[in-house]
């Protein structure tokens, strides 16, 4: 906190970007942290802002904060994402770089305490973001086949785990079973011609802020240009909902939510290959979680590893036979 306070006090470019009056003291308070960013809230000139300090980059790019800043610029027409205000990717930045963005009001979606209209709000926010046209020259990562790209990413994580001293034969057996099923689904799925939307790729409930008259879709550290099926599949996956809650979508509710999503899209883009790829995306989402947990056994073995309390609590559960059985039934049956 002392470093953040000094950064807000001494960074003239940041102070100019937020329109702070000369001599005004900017006081920050912790807003929450994830695996890749530490977040702080502060006020300047009567407006609220979020300062995001990157502590670990995401895959496929080296400059995390510049990438996320570009994503927020591309998504601004949606009207439901944070507005980018300031970027610092210099050697003097905190951590591995800093973004300042507008603060979005609302309460985080909570699957354990769903209120009427919460899921409708979340799918509407997804639809509104997905409907933003991708501008020419958009710098976001555009995989040739995002489904195959995620599969290969999962394999790379798994190989790091297999080559480590932390391999567990029981966990390896589950992961290999999921890999084979996902590989079959990938082989049977046609590469789409319509994967041209900006997708978040990590549609966690905490990324959806529910507010009267709208809400916001936040946390854009790993977007790509790809298929909307990826975001919808991630949102309903047990590997997603259980991370923040004890909630699991019944199969009938998954089908209903998919149709609610397409009603929210309301013809702004075509359904295209969604139905052909959705099942494969559900498998790949579950495989992503499983291989992430495998690699986490390696990464979090370091004494200086950055990890959250939720990771400490949930990781053993995700790697248990009971949870693996649930994932097999829900996503790979």
């Amino acid at each position: 906190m002392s470093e953040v306070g000094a950064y807000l006090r001494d960074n003239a470019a940041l102070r100019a970007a937020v329109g702070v009056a000369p001599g005004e003291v900017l006081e920050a308070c912790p807003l929450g942290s994830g695996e890749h960013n530490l977040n702080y809230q502060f006020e300047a000139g009567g407006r609220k802002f979020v300062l995001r300090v990157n502590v670990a980059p995401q895959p496929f790019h080296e400059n995390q904060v510049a990438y996320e800043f570009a994503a927020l610029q591309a998504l601004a027409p949606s009207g439901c994402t944070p507005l980018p205000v300031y970027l610092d990717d210099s050697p003097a930045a905190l951590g591995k770089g800093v973004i300042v963005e507008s603060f979005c009001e609302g309460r985080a979606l909570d699957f354990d305490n769903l209120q009427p209209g919460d899921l409708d709000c979340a799918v509407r926010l997804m639809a509104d973001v997905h409907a933003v046209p991708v501008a020419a020259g958009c710098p976001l990562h555009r995989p040739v086949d995002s489904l195959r790209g995620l599969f290969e990413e999962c394999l790379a994580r798994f190989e790091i785990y297999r080559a480590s001293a932390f391999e567990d034969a029981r966990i390896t057996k589950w992961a290999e079973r999921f890999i084979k099923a996902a590989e079959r689904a990938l082989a049977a799925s046609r590469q789409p011609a319509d994967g041209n939307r900006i997708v978040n790729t990590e549609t966690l409930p905490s990324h959806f802020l529910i507010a009267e008259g709208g809400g916001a879709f936040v946390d854009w550290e790993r977007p790509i240009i790809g298929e909307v099926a990826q975001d919808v599949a991630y949102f309903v996956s047990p590997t997603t909902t259980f991370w923040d809650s004890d909630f699991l979508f019944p199969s009938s509710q998954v089908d209903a939510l998919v149709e609610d999503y397409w009603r929210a899209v309301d013809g702004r883009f075509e359904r295209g290959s969604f139905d052909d790829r959705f099942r494969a995306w559900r498998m790949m989402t579950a495989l992503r979680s499983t291989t992430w947990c495998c690699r986490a056994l390696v990464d979090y073995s370091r004494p200086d590893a950055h990890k959250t309390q939720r990771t400490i609590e949930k990781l053993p559960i995700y790697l248990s036979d009971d949870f693996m059985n649930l994932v097999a039934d829900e996503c790979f049956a």
Side-chain angles (χ1 to χ4, degrees):
M1 284 301 300
S2 61
E3 289 182 82
V4 171
Y7 185 77
L8 291 173
R9 182 189 67 227
D10 300 334
N11 190 316
L14 183 156
R15 294 174 68 87
V18 300
V20 65
E24 181 178 345
V25 176
L26 301 181
E27 295 185 356
C29 61
L31 189 58
S33 63
E35 304 296 324
H36 298 269
N37 292 284
L38 306 177
N39 301 302
Y40 303 87
Q41 179 187 331
F42 68 96
E43 291 191 27
R47 294 189 297 159
K48 295 179 181 179
F49 297 92
V50 175
L51 183 146
R52 283 169 65 79
V53 180
N54 181 244
V55 293
Q58 289 276 10
F60 60 71
H61 56 83
E62 296 179 355
N63 191 329
Q64 174 68 49
V65 290
Y67 188 85
E68 187 169 347
F69 196 82
L72 294 179
Q73 289 176 317
L75 292 163
S78 72
C80 59
T81 54
L83 296 176
V85 176
Y86 174 73
L87 166 68
D88 184 0
D89 57 355
S90 73
L94 294 174
K96 298 181 183 297
V98 167
I99 289 176
V100 175
E101 60 190 43
S102 63
F103 177 83
C104 297
E105 300 285 352
R107 56 179 174 84
L109 180 67
D110 182 353
F111 282 122
D112 282 335
N113 296 283
L114 285 174
Q115 305 298 312
D118 282 3
L119 291 179
D120 289 339
C121 180
V123 297
R124 186 173 65 252
L125 290 168
M126 266 196 288
D128 287 348
V129 161
H130 293 161
V132 173
V134 179
C138 180
L140 298 184
H141 182 50
R142 188 193 298 256
V144 174
D145 182 343
S146 50
L147 186 65
R148 179 169 293 281
L150 183 55
F151 180 67
E152 291 171 354
E153 186 181 311
C154 292
L155 294 183
R157 283 200 199 98
F158 185 60
E159 287 309 311
I160 291 171
Y161 154 79
R162 289 292 305 273
S164 76
F166 300 94
E167 184 182 10
D168 181 312
R170 177 187 60 82
I171 297 170
T172 297
K173 185 176 179 180
W174 276 112
E176 288 179 335
R177 173 181 168 184
F178 293 167
I179 287 169
K180 289 178 182 177
E183 190 169 28
R184 288 193 298 269
L186 180 62
S189 180
R190 292 180 292 105
Q191 183 177 330
D194 55 350
N196 193 39
R197 319 306 305 186
I198 299 176
V199 293
N200 182 275
T201 75
E202 295 182 323
T203 46
L204 293 161
S206 58
H207 294 183
F208 297 90
L209 301 182
I210 311 300
E212 188 173 346
F217 193 173
V218 301
D219 207 328
W220 287 88
E221 64 188 34
R222 195 192 151 126
I224 62 171
I225 299 173
E227 303 170 61
V228 300
Q230 180 171 6
D231 273 358
V232 181
Y234 193 102
F235 184 76
V236 300
S237 175
T239 56
T240 300
T241 63
F242 190 71
W243 188 254
D244 290 306
S245 70
D246 293 324
F247 178 83
L248 300 170
F249 275 103
S251 297
S252 60
Q253 194 171 357
V254 170
D255 295 339
L257 186 138
V258 166
E259 296 312 312
D260 288 343
Y261 166 81
W262 282 107
R263 277 190 289 272
V265 170
D266 195 25
R268 287 177 286 178
F269 54 90
E270 295 298 321
R271 190 158 178 153
S273 61
F274 180 95
D275 297 305
D276 177 59
R277 302 268 282 187
F278 183 67
R279 180 171 176 271
W281 272 115
R282 290 205 72 191
M283 290 188 184
M284 215 62 71
T285 298
L287 179 62
R288 174 185 180 180
S289 171
T290 302
T291 56
W292 184 92
C293 289
C294 288
R295 176 158 181 180
L297 291 176
V298 182
D299 292 343
Y300 294 151
S301 66
R302 302 192 313 270
D304 62 340
H306 168 72
K307 52 183 176 290
T308 63
Q309 186 60 35
R310 180 177 291 117
T311 304
I312 295 170
E313 294 170 355
K314 291 283 189 174
L315 187 59
I317 300 173
Y318 269 59
L319 292 172
S320 69
D321 284 338
D322 285 347
F323 193 77
M324 293 288 195
N325 267 310
L326 184 151
V327 170
D329 291 342
E330 291 295 321
C331 302
F332 291 94

